[in-house]
Amino acid sequence: MTLHHVSYGDGVPVLALHGWTPDHRLMTGCLEPIFAELPGYRRLYPDLPGMGQSPAGDIDSSDGIQAAVRAFIDEQIGTEPFIVIGESYGGYLARGLVAERPEQILGLGLVCPVGKLVHSERTVPEHVVLRTEPGVVESLTEGEDFTDLAVVQTAAALAAYRSDVAPGLAVADTDALDRIQRNWALSIEPESGPVYTGPTLIVCGRQDAVTGYADQFALLPHYPRATFAALDVAGHNLQLEQPELFGALIREWLQRLPSAATSG
């Protein structure tokens, strides 16, 4: 299976994996403003199977999605060292890739990552709204679910949601995703092997009512070079709600990757 993708720039490959249901625009929207100012990186943004413009085919498990990602890496990157960034479910897949290819992956970035895969087992706070602007909620059209997760309900956050998140949600193959979710766990647990010693970033939203922040703290022993940040006034779409702090953390993480930093 060939995954639909977009790519930008030249240099060290950066594989960006979006979360469950949206498409590559979830990642381009928050990462391209950062990487556009940093030469030396080739950014690859695939649509995962059943999402965006990548068909699911007969895939019926996360193992099947991971196999498609693995084939994409072999096709687009080969054996070249690369960086991987994953958001939510994409972070789960990224952790699985690190377990498979620790020597090839220069660094791991996790944004609002899944800590515990089963929703009922997660430690998550109640949804709250901490920042609003007049008229934003009133401007929503029928069917827009922006307020379901938004901790920051401002015009800027809504505009980013409409450009980065909503388009993917609208085109996802929900039947295929329901089928895949019945076999959601990877056969090989991401942290079942040796610790990963590459520079790592784990950034969570303190008010994230989907994946939370507490369960991810338990990942730290497996990633001894991880920065762990739980951002206040940030939910599951923290990259939309705290873009400046998000950008600063991504840039600092990239600076901890000497092979990547010197290649540009």
Side-chain angles (χ1 to χ4, degrees):
M1 174 181 292
T2 299
L3 299 180
H4 172 264
H5 74 284
V6 298
S7 65
Y8 303 96
D10 297 294
V12 176
V14 180
L15 175 65
L17 302 176
H18 62 79
W20 189 254
T21 311
D23 63 12
H24 71 274
R25 286 169 283 196
L26 182 74
M27 305 305 283
T28 57
C30 64
L31 292 177
E32 278 308 295
I34 300 169
F35 280 104
E37 299 176 352
L38 301 174
Y41 297 96
R42 176 185 174 222
R43 291 88 70 189
L44 296 161
Y45 300 97
D47 287 339
L48 296 174
M51 293 163 262
Q53 297 183 50
S54 293
D58 60 359
I59 291 175
D60 63 358
S61 65
S62 286
D63 284 342
I65 289 183
Q66 190 76 317
V69 172
R70 197 180 298 119
F72 178 81
I73 294 170
D74 291 341
E75 175 187 284
Q76 296 292 327
I77 300 175
T79 60
E80 187 178 355
F82 70 97
I83 302 163
V84 62
I85 306 173
E87 191 271 349
S88 194
Y89 174 76
Y92 180 61
L93 298 178
R95 287 157 51 201
L97 290 174
V98 165
E100 295 176 5
R101 306 178 182 220
E103 300 302 323
Q104 187 180 5
I105 295 177
L106 296 168
L108 171 66
L110 301 174
V111 183
C112 296
V114 169
K116 294 182 179 178
L117 197 61
V118 179
H119 285 79
S120 62
E121 297 178 356
R122 296 176 183 174
T123 305
V124 297
E126 294 291 327
H127 176 243
V128 294
V129 179
L130 296 181
R131 188 172 294 160
T132 61
E133 286 179 354
V136 170
V137 173
E138 292 76 11
S139 72
L140 297 175
T141 60
E142 185 177 354
E144 278 194 298
D145 57 3
F146 170 69
T147 57
D148 291 353
L149 300 180
V151 172
V152 174
Q153 298 183 359
T154 62
L158 175 57
Y161 173 84
R162 285 173 168 170
S163 63
D164 302 353
V165 181
L169 300 180
V171 300
D173 184 344
T174 55
D175 289 339
L177 297 188
D178 287 344
R179 179 181 74 237
I180 294 166
Q181 202 161 20
R182 297 188 192 105
N183 301 289
W184 222 24
L186 292 168
S187 295
I188 301 175
E189 282 288 328
E191 284 75 39
S192 59
V195 300
Y196 173 68
T197 57
T200 300
L201 172 66
I202 304 172
V203 58
C204 305
R206 189 65 189 263
Q207 288 81 32
D208 187 336
V210 177
T211 57
Y213 67 91
D215 297 331
Q216 294 81 345
F217 190 77
L219 299 177
L220 289 182
H222 194 78
Y223 303 100
R225 291 203 55 204
T227 289
F228 178 87
L231 308 188
D232 188 31
V233 194
H236 196 57
N237 288 323
L238 71 79
Q239 73 280 6
L240 312 181
E241 299 177 334
Q242 292 283 5
E244 293 183 2
L245 186 51
F246 172 76
L249 288 166
I250 291 289
R251 290 184 183 92
E252 190 281 330
W253 166 60
L254 293 172
Q255 290 171 0
R256 290 190 277 128
L257 301 167
S259 297
T262 57
S263 65

